[in-house]
């Protein structure tokens, strides 16, 4: 089992993309030692970039990244869902040897499938047992600017210390993060916050476009819409009123805001948003079934 002598965990990232960079930059900004972060990344140019900018150790081989130097306490899987099965099977011997906490930020892949890929026999029967501690983490892209939201699910085998390690990782990218008590709830987290930024971008896109049509400069319309969204979100997060009360406080009877809200309701905007969120959740379930066949 992995056993770093320090209380500061050695964290290894498998996949050096944008979310990996967001997490590691957050860790380093809180004085996490450079020597306790390693990244495995297949592309030479990306490895050179990460090493040059952050001074971290990078590797072309996933197994080397996990076992080189101080053994990994935490392994963050940050690869595409389409290749995760191949990647996990490749590093399975190292994971079985060290038993690090594995945090997956891979969307749509269930823990039972990770267990199946990691098990030395690789049989379907073995998929019932999780042989390394696993946490599924669903962050979102605002993590890239330090404004993320995230949900996490842990198997029963994950210890209290390992839950703390998972929170240590996520708090560097998410202003709001929560544990959910069943794995299927991660699909709901994905539908609300994982994919949520795209919903807001769609609304902001429509507001910016309409502002231009009403005579505003595009930059002005876009900045007004974006700052309004940011301010409204902060009112919701920092105040005592629920979101419906906040909306009603802005909506004066027979005023211009009421005219806008009534039009949106008549056009089934709230219903459309609800249906979209549910469609996202349902697609997550379908993708999990597809990736489970890899």
């Amino acid at each position: 089992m992995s056993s770093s002598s320090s209380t500061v965990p050695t964290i290894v990232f498998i996949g050096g993309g944008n979310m990996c960079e967001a997490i590691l930059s957050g860790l380093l900004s809180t004085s996490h030692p450079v020597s306790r972060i390693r990244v495995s990344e297949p592309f030479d140019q990306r490895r050179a970039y990460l090493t040059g900018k952050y001074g971290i150790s990078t590797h072309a081989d996933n197994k080397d990244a996990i076992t080189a130097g101080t053994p990994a306490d935490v392994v963050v899987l940050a690869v595409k869902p389409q290749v995760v099965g191949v990647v996990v099977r490749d590093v399975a011997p190292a994971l079985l040897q060290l038993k690090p906490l594995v945090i997956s930020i891979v969307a749509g892949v269930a823990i039972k499938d990770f267990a199946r890929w990691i098990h030395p026999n690789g049989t379907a029967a073995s998929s019932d047992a999780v042989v390394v501690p696993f946490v599924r983490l669903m962050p979102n892209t605002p993590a890239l600017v330090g404004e993320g939201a995230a949900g996490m699910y842990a198997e029963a085998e994950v210890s209290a210390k390992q839950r703390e390690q998972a929170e240590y990782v996520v708090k560097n990218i998410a202003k709001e993060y929560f544990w959910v008590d069943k794995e299927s709830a991660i699909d709901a987290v994905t539908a609300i916050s994982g994919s949520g930024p795209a919903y807001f971008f769609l609304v902001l896109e429509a507001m910016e476009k309409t502002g231009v049509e009403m005579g505003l400069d595009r930059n002005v319309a876009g900045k007004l819409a974006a700052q309004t969204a940011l301010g409204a979100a902060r009112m919701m997060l920092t105040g005592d009123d629920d979101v419906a009360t906040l909306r009603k406080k802005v909506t004066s009877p027979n005023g211009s805001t009421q005219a806008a809200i009534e039009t949106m309701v008549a056009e089934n905007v709230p219903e459309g948003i609800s249906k979209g969120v549910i469609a996202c959740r349902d697609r997550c379930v379908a993708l999990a079934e597809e990736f489970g066949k890899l």
Side-chain angles (χ1 to χ4, degrees), residues 22-59:
I23 297 173
L24 74 85
S25 64
L27 289 166
L28 293 173
S29 71
T30 57
S31 301
H32 188 93
V34 172
S35 62
R36 290 188 175 271
I37 293 178
R38 297 194 295 271
V39 176
S40 178
E41 166 58 41
F43 295 106
D44 295 348
Q45 185 175 3
R46 183 66 176 173
R47 289 199 307 275
Y49 163 79
L50 292 171
T51 299
K53 182 170 183 178
Y54 298 104
I56 60 171
S57 173
T58 58
H59 301 257

Side-chain angles (χ1 to χ4, degrees), residues 147-268:
E147 292 287 349
M152 296 179 288
Y153 170 76
E155 285 287 275
E157 292 79 3
V158 176
S159 68
K161 178 182 177 181
Q162 289 167 330
R163 279 178 172 257
E164 290 177 2
Q165 289 176 330
E167 292 179 4
Y168 176 78
V169 170
V170 75
K171 72 181 182 181
N172 288 286
I173 58 167
K175 291 286 185 69
E176 299 285 345
Y177 57 90
F178 305 92
W179 289 100
V180 296
D181 59 6
K182 54 185 179 180
E183 187 173 7
S184 61
I186 287 291
D187 294 329
V189 172
T190 303
I192 297 297
S193 60
S195 298
Y199 315 156
F200 289 102
F201 290 142
L202 181 65
V203 171
L204 291 170
E205 185 180 3
M207 292 175 70
E208 179 186 76
K209 178 176 179 292
T210 305
V212 171
E213 292 172 353
M214 292 190 296
L216 293 176
D217 176 80
R218 182 173 299 279
N219 182 62
V220 171
K223 291 290 178 63
L224 286 172
Q227 182 58 45
T228 299
L230 179 62
R234 284 183 174 163
M235 289 178 70
M236 181 179 175
L237 288 169
T238 60
D240 296 327
D241 291 333
D242 61 37
V243 66
T245 300
L246 288 170
R247 173 180 56 78
K248 291 174 182 177
K249 284 184 174 181
V250 183
T251 309
S252 301
N254 299 315
S256 56
T257 305
Q258 182 173 333
I261 295 297
E262 288 178 349
T263 300
M264 291 177 187
V265 170
E267 294 292 335
N268 296 317

